[in-house]
Amino acid sequence: MLGRGVWSSVRQGLSRGLSRNVGGWASGEGRKVDIAGIYPPVTTPFTATAEVDYGKLEENLHKLGTFPFRGFVVQGSNGEFPFLTSSERLEVVSRVRQAMPKDKLLLAGSGCESTQATVEMTVSMAQVGADAAIVVTPCYYRGRMSSAALIHHYTKVADLSPVPVVLYSVPANTGLALPVDAVVTLSQHPNIVGIKDSGGDVTRMGLMVHKTRRQDFQVLAGSAGFLLASYAVGAVGGVCALANVLGAQVCQLERLCLTGQWEDAQKLQHRLIEPNTAVTRRFGIPGLKKTMDWFGYYGGPCRAPLQELSPTDEEELRMDFSSNGWL
Amino acid sequence: MLGRGVWSSVRQGLSRGLSRNVGGWASGEGRKVDIAGIYPPVTTPFTATAEVDYGKLEENLHKLGTFPFRGFVVQGSNGEFPFLTSSERLEVVSRVRQAMPKDKLLLAGSGCESTQATVEMTVSMAQVGADAAIVVTPCYYRGRMSSAALIHHYTKVADLSPVPVVLYSVPANTGLALPVDAVVTLSQHPNIVGIKDSGGDVTRMGLMVHKTRRQDFQVLAGSAGFLLASYAVGAVGGVCALANVLGAQVCQLERLCLTGQWEDAQKLQHRLIEPNTAVTRRFGIPGLKKTMDWFGYYGGPCRAPLQELSPTDEEELRMDFSSNGWL
Amino acid sequence: MLGRGVWSSVRQGLSRGLSRNVGGWASGEGRKVDIAGIYPPVTTPFTATAEVDYGKLEENLHKLGTFPFRGFVVQGSNGEFPFLTSSERLEVVSRVRQAMPKDKLLLAGSGCESTQATVEMTVSMAQVGADAAIVVTPCYYRGRMSSAALIHHYTKVADLSPVPVVLYSVPANTGLALPVDAVVTLSQHPNIVGIKDSGGDVTRMGLMVHKTRRQDFQVLAGSAGFLLASYAVGAVGGVCALANVLGAQVCQLERLCLTGQWEDAQKLQHRLIEPNTAVTRRFGIPGLKKTMDWFGYYGGPCRAPLQELSPTDEEELRMDFSSNGWL
Amino acid sequence: MLGRGVWSSVRQGLSRGLSRNVGGWASGEGRKVDIAGIYPPVTTPFTATAEVDYGKLEENLHKLGTFPFRGFVVQGSNGEFPFLTSSERLEVVSRVRQAMPKDKLLLAGSGCESTQATVEMTVSMAQVGADAAIVVTPCYYRGRMSSAALIHHYTKVADLSPVPVVLYSVPANTGLALPVDAVVTLSQHPNIVGIKDSGGDVTRMGLMVHKTRRQDFQVLAGSAGFLLASYAVGAVGGVCALANVLGAQVCQLERLCLTGQWEDAQKLQHRLIEPNTAVTRRFGIPGLKKTMDWFGYYGGPCRAPLQELSPTDEEELRMDFSSNGWL
C-alpha cells in the first residue's frame, strides 16, 4: 500500500470530525493538514442571465457530498474564478462551506496576479471557511516569473496566510510550470503543505516527491487522466474535474491504488482517460458542465467569453463517455 | 508617403483640439477616431511601499507630453494593470487625462477575463476620460478562445462601449494571438477602429491591413522593434515601450517612415532593436523602469511578484543602450 | 502481476533460443514477436578520428550482455544514426548481432525521411540480423505529417518488411508525436507489433494501451524516467538510455514492477529520475557517453556537430548520479 | 534606394557572365559572391513511379530562366532533399547547372546532420557546379545545438568548402533558429557570405543586418510573405517558393523595393501573402507542386510520405490565388 504514513494519525483525527482545526498553524505550531485524497474542483453554476446560482451550487454540493471525497476545491480553474468578482469568489466559498459535510476539507483557490492581492484574498478565503488555500502561479508576466520571483511570491503568501497553502501549477492555463527547484525550496516552508500539479508530466511529479521526501509535503495530481500513474510515483490524491460527474469511479480508482489492486486500477484508469480529456483539455468547462447536466447535476451555462458546445462537439463528448461504458 | 488618406480630415480636426468628441460614436453616427501615430504605454509608478505614486505619474506625463506622440496608452501590459485594483485602474486613467496635453489621445486598457467585466471596465474608462478602449484578449481559458468566442467577446464590448475599441493581441503575455479571420470580421464593427499587434509577425500584419482595406480599420505595431517593417506593410503607428525613454527617437523613426526616408529610417531602426528588446522581452517592466530612472523619468519599483533586476542584468541592460549610442 | 499473458508461450519459445525465427511473419502466419522487456539503446563508439570503433562496440555489448535485458535497440536516437552512412548503419547492426547473446532480441532503427528509403533500410536491417525494425517518424516536413500521411508511411513499411515493425515516437527530436488515432489504426496491421514512445505523456500511453487492447500490440516506454508509471498504465517494458550505465538497476525496476513490489519500485524509480534526465534531455548523448566512461564502458567522443561537455556540465552530470547514490 | 553598394562592382561583373569564377575564394583571396536578388527554390519533379524526372526539371528551368532572378536555389526545403539519395542530390544540381542561364547563380543545399557529411556534400556540390552552398542547420539533436556547436559546425564547413557558404535557418522544418550571436560570429568567416532566414521574424533580421554591418554579409528572406518588410530592414533579396509560380510578380516586388516605390510595393506585397502562405506553411510542397501544374510548369507528385492534397484543400489553395487576382 502506497501513501505516506506520517499522515495517518492526523487523518484519523480528521475522520473524527476535527478538520476545521487542523489548519490552526497560525500560532507557530507548524502543524500541517493532510490533504491526501480525491477532490472535485467545484464548478460555479450560473443562471440564464449569468448570475451565480447559489441554490444550484448547494444542490450540487449535497449530491457530491455523498461520495468519499477528501474534500472540495473551490475556485480552481474549473470554477471560472477569473470571471468572478472578489465578493462572488468569497460568497461561493462561504456557501460551499455551509453546504458541504463537516468532516471534509475545503481548498479555496486564492491566486491573483499580484502578491499583495493574493495575500488579501488568501486571508479572506480563510475567514469565510477555507481549510487551505490553493494558489495558482501568477502568469501574465510569465517571461519574468523566474524561480526566484515565484519563491518570493509564495513565501510571502504562506508567511501571511492563516491557513496552509497548496501550490498550484497548471501550464495549460498559465503557460508556466512551477519549476521543480522552486517547489523543493518552497516545500520547506512550514505553511506550505503540497502542490496540485495539472501538467501531466509524471517524471516531474516523481522527482518532486523524491526531492521533498524529507518534508511534510504532498503531491496531488491535477487530473484523473494520470491519477493511477501519479499514485504509482508517490502522489497522494488528485483534484479531478471528472469527479464532478464520475465521483464514485474516481474514488474507486483511489481505493484500488491505495489497496494495491493495480490490475483493476489499470482497467478502470483506462476507461476514464477519454472522458477525462473530454471534460478538460478537449471541451473545457462547457464540456464539463454539459456532462454534469447529463449526470444529474446542474451544469448550466458558462460566463462569456466561454461558449456553449456546438451540436457536433456535444455528440463527440457523449461518445467519449458512451464508448467507455459510462453513458 | 504611406498612411491612409481616409483619416486626414479627421486628423486635422483632432489637431485643432477636438479629440475629446471624436469618439462620440454612441448615437449611431459611426464616426471613428484616427489612431495613427506613436504612443508610449505609460508605466504605473509605485512608492517604496508599493502604493501608486500619482505625483510621479503626473511628472512623467509632463515630460512625455513634450514629444509629438499621438497620445498615450494607459494600462497596457507595461502599466502592470493585472496588479492594480479596479479603482486604481480608473484613478490612474483619470490622472493621466488631467496631466496630459489636451490634443492627444488617451487609449485606456480595459480588458478583463470575462466579457461582462470588460464591458463594465470599458464604460468606466470612458467615463474617466478615455478616448478609446484598448482591449486585450481574455486568455486564462485560451484553449477555448476560438475565433467564434473572441468575436462574440469583442462584439459585445464594442456594442456597449461609449468610445471606440482597439483590439489588442499580445501573445507573449497571453499565449494567444487573435486570429486574422476574427480580426477581419471584427473590423466591420462600426465601433472597432483598429488593433495593436505585439506579436511581431509582419506577414500577419500585412495580411490584416490587406483584408481590412475596405474598412476604417488601422493597425498599430505593439513594439518599436518592428516599427519600420510595420509601416512598410501598412501599419499607421505603434505603441512602443521604448518611447517611454527614447521618445524623440521613436517619433523620429515615425517621421522618417511617413516621409519616405527609408535609408535613414533603417539606420535608426537598427539602433533601436537591442534597446527595445531589453526593455520588453529580455528584462520586462523592471528593465523599462530601471531605464526610465536613467533617462530622467521616475521608474521606481514594480509590484511583486515582479522582481528588481540583478546587477548583472542591469549591466547588460545598460550595454544594450550604450552599444547603440544611447547612453 | 502486470503484463499481457498472450505473450507467455511465445516468450518461453524465445528463451529457448528461437528468437531469430520469431519474426517470420512474411509467409502470412501473422505470428508476432513479444517485445516485452528492457532494452538499452546502444551507443555507437567512435575513435578519436571519428571512425566507428567496432571493437569497442563489441566490448560494450559483451558487458551489456550480462544483464537480463530483453534485447538491444541499435540505431535509436542514442545511436547517432543520423550521423552514420547507410553502410555504417548496417555494419553496426551486423556487428551487434554477432556480439550479443543469441537469445535476445535485436531491434534495429531503420527510419529515414522518405518511405522508399525506409523500406529499403528496413529490408537491409532484416538481412543483417534485425529481429524487428524500429521506425522513427519522418519529421523534416512535420507540418504535413498528418495521421493520414503517417498511416500511409508505416503501412507501406510494414507491408514490405520481412520482420515485425515497432513504431517510434520521439517528439524531443522530431518535434512530432505520432497521433494516437494513427497508432490505433496501425496496431491492426499484422506486421506492426508495438510502439516505443519517448514523449513521457502517460495519459497518452494509457490511452494507447486501452485502445489497442484487442490487438497484439505492445507499448514500450522510451525512457527510464517514467518507466514505473508506464508499467502502471500497461506498458510492457522500456528502451532506456540509462540502461547503458545502470543496467542492473533498470532491470531491477522492471522486476519490481512485474512482481507487484510497488513501494520498492517507487523508491528505486525516484533515484533514477535525475540520472536519467542527465543522460537524456539535459546533457544528451555526450552526457551518456561520458557516464559510460565512468561506469566501465567505452563512451568516447560523439561525431560533430555534437560537442563534448564543458567541465561545469560534467560536474553537474556527476552530481546527478552521486546525489542519488550511484557514484 | 536600399541595398548595399559594396556589391555593385562585383555584381556588374556577374552580369557580364563571370559568375562561375566569383566563388574562387579557395586560394585565399577572400573574394565573396554577391547573392542579392530573388531565387526560386527549385522543386524536384518526380514521375508517377517516384523517379526523378530530369526532363521535366530542365523544362521547368527553361521557363524559370526567363525571369530576372539572381539565380536558383536547388535542394532547399522545397526540393524534397531529405527524400533524395546523395547521388540524386548531385545529379539534380548538375542538371540544373546545365539547364539554367550562365549568368545566374546556383545555390545548392548541402546540409546534412553530421559535420563530416555536410563537408563532403558541400565539396561535391561545388564539383558539380554550385556557385555557393546553402547549409541548413543540423536539427535531429536540436536540444544540443547550442551556438557553440553550430559555430563549430559551420566554421568547419566553411573552412573546407571550395565555394562560399550561405547559412540557412528554417525553424518550421528544423525546430531550431540559428541564434543571432552565432550568425554574428560566423559572419566574420571569409567564406560565409550570408544567411537565408525563413523564420519571418523581421526584428531578428534587422538585428542581424545591424550587427553584421561591418562584414561582407547579406541577409535573404526565406519567403515572399515578408519580402517587402525584409527589404525595409536591410535584407537584399529572397528565396521564395512563390517565385516558382509567380516569378514575374516576385521580381516586380523586388524592383519596386529597390527603386523606392513603397506604396506600389505594399499593394503588391499584400496580394502575395495568402498565395505565399498557401504554397508554404499551409499546403506545403504538395500545394506548391499543384499550383505549378496550374501555372504551366510541371509540378507532379511528391515522394511519400508527402501526400497529395485533398479536393477540399485544393479548392482552398485555388481560392488563395483567385481571391488575390492571380487565377
Side-chain angles (χ1 to χ4, degrees):
Chain A
M1 173 168 164
L2 290 175
R4 292 204 257 167
V6 54
W7 297 118
S8 59
S9 63
V10 177
R11 204 165 182 191
Q12 280 189 324
L14 284 175
S15 66
R16 288 195 301 270
L18 302 177
S19 69
R20 301 302 307 284
N21 298 323
V22 166
W25 165 86
S27 51
E29 311 157 68
R31 194 145 54 93
K32 291 189 173 182
V33 63
D34 173 16
I35 57 173
I38 300 297
Y39 304 76
V42 176
T43 59
T44 304
F46 296 107
T47 66
T49 56
E51 299 298 312
V52 179
D53 192 330
Y54 295 104
K56 295 297 186 191
L57 176 64
E58 287 164 3
E59 286 176 33
N60 283 346
L61 259 293
H62 291 146
K63 286 174 190 157
L64 290 169
T66 62
F67 298 108
F69 295 133
R70 179 71 183 90
F72 299 91
V73 166
V74 186
Q75 321 266 318
S77 297
N78 287 290
E80 295 176 63
F81 77 88
F83 297 162
L84 303 184
T85 66
S86 294
S87 58
E88 285 173 335
R89 287 180 74 169
L90 293 171
E91 182 66 14
V92 165
V93 170
S94 176
R95 297 295 186 103
V96 170
R97 178 80 272 170
Q98 289 156 30
M100 67 184 259
K102 296 290 167 266
D103 62 336
K104 298 202 186 299
L105 285 181
L106 193 168
L107 309 190
S110 64
C112 302
E113 283 290 332
S114 82
T115 304
Q116 180 60 25
T118 305
V119 167
E120 290 169 13
M121 182 60 78
T122 302
V123 170
S124 297
M125 287 297 191
Q127 287 168 345
V128 296
D131 294 309
I134 183 162
V135 182
V136 71
T137 52
C139 64
Y140 193 76
Y141 300 108
R142 68 176 61 95
R144 300 298 300 166
M145 289 300 102
S146 62
S147 283
L150 291 162
I151 288 170
H152 183 275
H153 175 76
Y154 279 110
T155 299
K156 197 84 174 180
V157 173
D159 282 349
L160 297 172
S161 171
V163 291
V165 167
V166 178
L167 312 173
Y168 179 19
S169 180
V170 56
N173 290 118
T174 63
L176 177 72
L178 187 56
V180 171
D181 69 306
V183 173
V184 172
T185 298
L186 291 166
S187 73
Q188 300 165 25
H189 192 289
N191 203 27
I192 292 177
V193 297
I195 184 169
K196 170 188 173 187
D197 192 327
S198 298
D201 178 346
V202 293
T203 305
R204 167 186 154 91
M205 293 180 79
L207 185 59
M208 290 192 302
V209 173
H210 180 49
K211 292 184 79 87
T212 62
R213 66 191 180 278
R214 297 199 185 84
Q215 311 299 330
D216 285 349
F217 188 82
Q218 295 176 302
V219 176
L220 298 178
S223 181
F226 49 93
L227 185 59
L228 163 59
S230 298
Y231 275 111
V233 298
V236 299
V239 182
C240 305
L242 191 64
N244 280 296
V245 287
L246 295 179
Q249 290 80 355
V250 178
C251 289
Q252 166 75 350
L253 179 53
E254 174 198 33
R255 203 181 58 79
L256 292 171
C257 292
L258 291 179
T259 55
Q261 301 179 67
W262 294 99
E263 286 189 80
D264 286 348
Q266 191 187 104
K267 280 187 200 120
L268 179 53
Q269 172 69 83
H270 284 171
R271 293 172 61 206
L272 297 179
I273 293 176
E274 284 176 301
N276 179 72
T277 300
V279 299
T280 57
R281 200 175 61 222
R282 193 164 182 207
F283 298 116
I285 308 176
L288 176 57
K289 286 190 162 177
K290 173 58 66 185
T291 312
M292 289 178 72
D293 288 330
W294 295 339
F295 278 86
Y297 300 90
Y298 179 81
C302 294
R303 277 194 173 162
L306 286 176
Q307 303 289 299
E308 278 188 29
L309 297 191
S310 69
T312 309
D313 285 351
E314 199 173 310
E315 196 52 45
E316 292 185 17
L317 172 66
R318 183 177 287 277
M319 186 72 77
D320 282 332
F321 278 82
S322 62
S323 69
N324 285 283
W326 305 120
L327 268 179
Chain B
M1 173 168 163
L2 291 175
R4 291 204 258 168
V6 55
W7 297 118
S8 59
S9 62
V10 177
R11 202 165 183 191
Q12 280 188 325
L14 284 175
S15 66
R16 288 195 302 272
L18 303 176
S19 68
R20 301 303 306 285
N21 298 322
V22 166
W25 166 85
S27 51
E29 311 156 67
R31 193 146 53 94
K32 291 189 173 181
V33 62
D34 173 15
I35 58 173
I38 301 297
Y39 304 76
V42 176
T43 60
T44 305
F46 297 107
T47 66
T49 55
E51 299 297 313
V52 179
D53 191 330
Y54 294 104
K56 296 296 186 191
L57 175 63
E58 288 163 4
E59 286 177 33
N60 283 346
L61 259 293
H62 292 146
K63 286 174 189 155
L64 290 169
T66 62
F67 297 108
F69 295 133
R70 179 69 183 92
F72 300 91
V73 166
V74 187
Q75 320 266 318
S77 297
N78 286 290
E80 296 175 61
F81 77 86
F83 297 162
L84 303 184
T85 65
S86 294
S87 58
E88 285 173 335
R89 287 180 73 168
L90 293 171
E91 183 65 16
V92 165
V93 170
S94 176
R95 296 295 187 103
V96 170
R97 178 80 270 170
Q98 291 155 29
M100 66 183 259
K102 296 290 168 266
D103 63 335
K104 297 202 186 298
L105 285 181
L106 194 167
L107 309 190
S110 63
C112 302
E113 283 291 333
S114 82
T115 304
Q116 180 59 25
T118 305
V119 167
E120 289 169 13
M121 181 61 77
T122 301
V123 170
S124 298
M125 287 297 191
Q127 287 168 345
V128 296
D131 294 308
I134 182 161
V135 182
V136 71
T137 53
C139 63
Y140 193 77
Y141 300 107
R142 68 178 61 96
R144 299 299 300 166
M145 289 300 101
S146 61
S147 282
L150 291 162
I151 289 170
H152 183 275
H153 175 78
Y154 279 110
T155 299
K156 197 84 175 180
V157 173
D159 281 349
L160 298 173
S161 171
V163 291
V165 166
V166 179
L167 312 173
Y168 179 18
S169 180
V170 56
N173 290 118
T174 62
L176 176 73
L178 187 56
V180 171
D181 69 307
V183 173
V184 172
T185 298
L186 290 167
S187 73
Q188 300 164 25
H189 192 288
N191 203 27
I192 293 177
V193 297
I195 184 169
K196 170 188 174 189
D197 192 327
S198 298
D201 178 346
V202 293
T203 306
R204 168 186 154 91
M205 294 180 78
L207 185 59
M208 289 193 302
V209 173
H210 180 49
K211 292 185 79 88
T212 62
R213 67 193 179 276
R214 297 199 186 84
Q215 312 299 329
D216 286 348
F217 188 82
Q218 295 175 304
V219 175
L220 298 178
S223 181
F226 49 93
L227 185 59
L228 163 58
S230 298
Y231 275 110
V233 300
V236 299
V239 182
C240 305
L242 191 64
N244 281 296
V245 288
L246 295 179
Q249 290 80 355
V250 178
C251 290
Q252 167 75 350
L253 179 53
E254 175 197 32
R255 203 181 58 79
L256 292 171
C257 291
L258 291 179
T259 56
Q261 300 179 67
W262 293 100
E263 286 189 81
D264 286 347
Q266 190 187 105
K267 281 187 198 120
L268 179 53
Q269 172 68 83
H270 283 171
R271 293 172 60 206
L272 298 179
I273 293 176
E274 285 176 302
N276 178 71
T277 301
V279 300
T280 56
R281 200 176 59 221
R282 192 164 183 207
F283 298 116
I285 308 176
L288 175 58
K289 285 190 163 178
K290 173 59 67 185
T291 312
M292 289 177 73
D293 288 330
W294 294 339
F295 278 86
Y297 300 90
Y298 179 81
C302 294
R303 277 195 173 162
L306 286 176
Q307 304 289 298
E308 278 189 28
L309 297 191
S310 70
T312 309
D313 285 352
E314 199 173 311
E315 196 52 45
E316 292 184 18
L317 172 66
R318 183 177 287 277
M319 187 72 77
D320 282 333
F321 278 82
S322 62
S323 69
N324 286 283
W326 306 120
L327 268 178
Chain C
M1 173 170 160
L2 291 174
R4 291 203 257 170
V6 55
W7 297 119
S8 59
S9 62
V10 177
R11 203 168 180 187
Q12 281 188 323
L14 285 173
S15 67
R16 289 196 301 271
L18 304 176
S19 69
R20 301 304 304 286
N21 298 322
V22 167
W25 165 84
S27 51
E29 310 156 69
R31 193 146 54 93
K32 290 188 175 183
V33 62
D34 173 16
I35 58 173
I38 301 296
Y39 304 75
V42 176
T43 60
T44 304
F46 296 108
T47 66
T49 55
E51 299 297 313
V52 179
D53 192 330
Y54 294 103
K56 296 297 186 189
L57 175 64
E58 288 164 3
E59 286 177 32
N60 283 345
L61 260 293
H62 291 145
K63 286 173 189 156
L64 290 168
T66 63
F67 299 108
F69 296 132
R70 180 70 183 90
F72 300 91
V73 165
V74 187
Q75 319 268 317
S77 296
N78 286 290
E80 295 176 62
F81 77 88
F83 297 162
L84 303 185
T85 64
S86 295
S87 58
E88 285 173 335
R89 288 180 74 169
L90 294 172
E91 183 65 15
V92 165
V93 169
S94 176
R95 296 295 187 104
V96 170
R97 179 78 270 169
Q98 290 156 29
M100 66 184 260
K102 296 290 168 266
D103 62 336
K104 298 202 186 298
L105 285 181
L106 194 168
L107 310 190
S110 63
C112 302
E113 283 290 333
S114 82
T115 304
Q116 180 60 25
T118 305
V119 166
E120 289 169 13
M121 182 61 78
T122 301
V123 169
S124 298
M125 287 296 192
Q127 286 167 345
V128 295
D131 294 308
I134 182 162
V135 181
V136 71
T137 53
C139 62
Y140 193 77
Y141 300 107
R142 68 178 59 95
R144 300 297 302 165
M145 288 300 101
S146 61
S147 283
L150 291 163
I151 289 170
H152 184 275
H153 176 76
Y154 279 110
T155 299
K156 196 83 174 183
V157 173
D159 282 349
L160 297 173
S161 171
V163 291
V165 167
V166 178
L167 312 173
Y168 179 20
S169 180
V170 56
N173 290 117
T174 62
L176 176 73
L178 187 56
V180 171
D181 69 307
V183 173
V184 172
T185 299
L186 290 167
S187 72
Q188 300 164 25
H189 192 288
N191 203 27
I192 294 178
V193 297
I195 184 169
K196 171 188 173 188
D197 192 328
S198 297
D201 178 346
V202 293
T203 306
R204 167 187 155 90
M205 292 179 79
L207 185 59
M208 289 192 302
V209 173
H210 180 48
K211 292 184 79 87
T212 62
R213 66 191 180 279
R214 296 197 188 87
Q215 311 300 328
D216 286 349
F217 188 81
Q218 296 176 304
V219 175
L220 298 178
S223 181
F226 49 92
L227 185 59
L228 163 58
S230 298
Y231 275 109
V233 298
V236 299
V239 182
C240 305
L242 192 63
N244 280 297
V245 288
L246 295 179
Q249 290 80 355
V250 177
C251 289
Q252 167 74 351
L253 179 52
E254 174 199 31
R255 204 181 56 80
L256 292 170
C257 291
L258 291 179
T259 55
Q261 301 180 65
W262 293 99
E263 287 190 79
D264 286 346
Q266 190 186 105
K267 279 185 199 123
L268 179 53
Q269 172 69 84
H270 284 171
R271 293 171 62 206
L272 297 179
I273 294 176
E274 285 177 301
N276 179 71
T277 301
V279 299
T280 56
R281 201 176 57 222
R282 192 164 183 209
F283 298 116
I285 307 176
L288 175 58
K289 285 190 162 178
K290 174 57 67 181
T291 312
M292 289 177 73
D293 288 331
W294 294 340
F295 279 86
Y297 300 89
Y298 179 82
C302 294
R303 276 193 173 164
L306 287 176
Q307 303 290 297
E308 278 188 29
L309 297 190
S310 70
T312 309
D313 285 353
E314 199 174 311
E315 196 51 47
E316 292 184 17
L317 171 67
R318 184 177 287 276
M319 187 72 78
D320 283 332
F321 278 82
S322 62
S323 69
N324 286 283
W326 306 121
L327 266 180
Chain D
M1 171 171 161
L2 291 175
R4 292 204 258 169
V6 55
W7 297 118
S8 58
S9 62
V10 177
R11 204 166 181 190
Q12 281 189 322
L14 285 174
S15 66
R16 288 195 302 270
L18 303 176
S19 69
R20 301 303 306 285
N21 299 322
V22 166
W25 165 85
S27 51
E29 311 156 69
R31 195 145 54 92
K32 291 188 174 183
V33 62
D34 173 16
I35 58 173
I38 301 297
Y39 304 75
V42 176
T43 59
T44 304
F46 296 109
T47 65
T49 56
E51 300 297 313
V52 179
D53 191 330
Y54 295 104
K56 296 296 185 189
L57 175 64
E58 287 164 3
E59 287 177 32
N60 283 345
L61 260 292
H62 291 146
K63 287 173 189 158
L64 290 168
T66 62
F67 298 108
F69 297 133
R70 179 70 183 91
F72 300 91
V73 166
V74 187
Q75 320 268 317
S77 296
N78 287 290
E80 295 177 62
F81 77 87
F83 298 162
L84 303 184
T85 65
S86 295
S87 58
E88 285 173 335
R89 288 180 74 169
L90 294 171
E91 183 66 15
V92 165
V93 170
S94 176
R95 296 294 186 103
V96 170
R97 179 80 270 169
Q98 290 156 29
M100 67 184 260
K102 296 290 166 266
D103 63 336
K104 298 202 186 296
L105 285 180
L106 193 168
L107 309 190
S110 64
C112 302
E113 283 291 332
S114 82
T115 304
Q116 181 60 25
T118 305
V119 167
E120 289 169 13
M121 182 62 79
T122 302
V123 170
S124 297
M125 288 296 192
Q127 287 168 345
V128 297
D131 294 307
I134 183 161
V135 181
V136 71
T137 53
C139 64
Y140 192 77
Y141 300 107
R142 69 177 60 95
R144 300 297 300 166
M145 288 300 101
S146 61
S147 282
L150 291 162
I151 288 170
H152 184 275
H153 175 77
Y154 279 110
T155 299
K156 197 82 175 183
V157 173
D159 282 349
L160 298 173
S161 171
V163 291
V165 166
V166 178
L167 312 173
Y168 179 20
S169 181
V170 56
N173 289 118
T174 63
L176 176 73
L178 187 57
V180 171
D181 70 307
V183 173
V184 172
T185 298
L186 290 167
S187 73
Q188 300 164 26
H189 192 289
N191 204 27
I192 293 177
V193 297
I195 184 170
K196 171 188 174 188
D197 193 328
S198 299
D201 178 346
V202 292
T203 306
R204 167 187 155 90
M205 292 180 78
L207 186 59
M208 290 193 301
V209 173
H210 180 49
K211 292 184 81 85
T212 62
R213 66 191 181 279
R214 296 195 187 88
Q215 310 301 329
D216 285 348
F217 188 81
Q218 296 175 303
V219 175
L220 298 178
S223 181
F226 48 94
L227 185 59
L228 163 59
S230 298
Y231 275 109
V233 299
V236 298
V239 181
C240 306
L242 192 64
N244 280 296
V245 288
L246 296 179
Q249 290 81 356
V250 177
C251 290
Q252 166 76 350
L253 179 53
E254 173 198 32
R255 203 181 59 79
L256 292 171
C257 291
L258 291 179
T259 56
Q261 301 179 66
W262 293 98
E263 287 189 80
D264 286 346
Q266 190 187 106
K267 280 185 199 123
L268 179 53
Q269 172 70 83
H270 283 171
R271 293 171 61 207
L272 297 180
I273 294 177
E274 286 177 301
N276 179 72
T277 300
V279 299
T280 57
R281 201 175 59 223
R282 192 164 183 209
F283 298 116
I285 308 175
L288 175 58
K289 286 190 162 177
K290 173 58 67 183
T291 313
M292 289 177 72
D293 288 330
W294 294 339
F295 278 86
Y297 299 89
Y298 179 81
C302 294
R303 277 194 174 164
L306 287 175
Q307 303 290 298
E308 279 188 29
L309 297 190
S310 69
T312 309
D313 285 351
E314 199 173 311
E315 196 53 45
E316 292 184 18
L317 172 66
R318 183 177 288 276
M319 187 72 78
D320 283 331
F321 278 82
S322 61
S323 68
N324 286 282
W326 305 120
L327 265 180

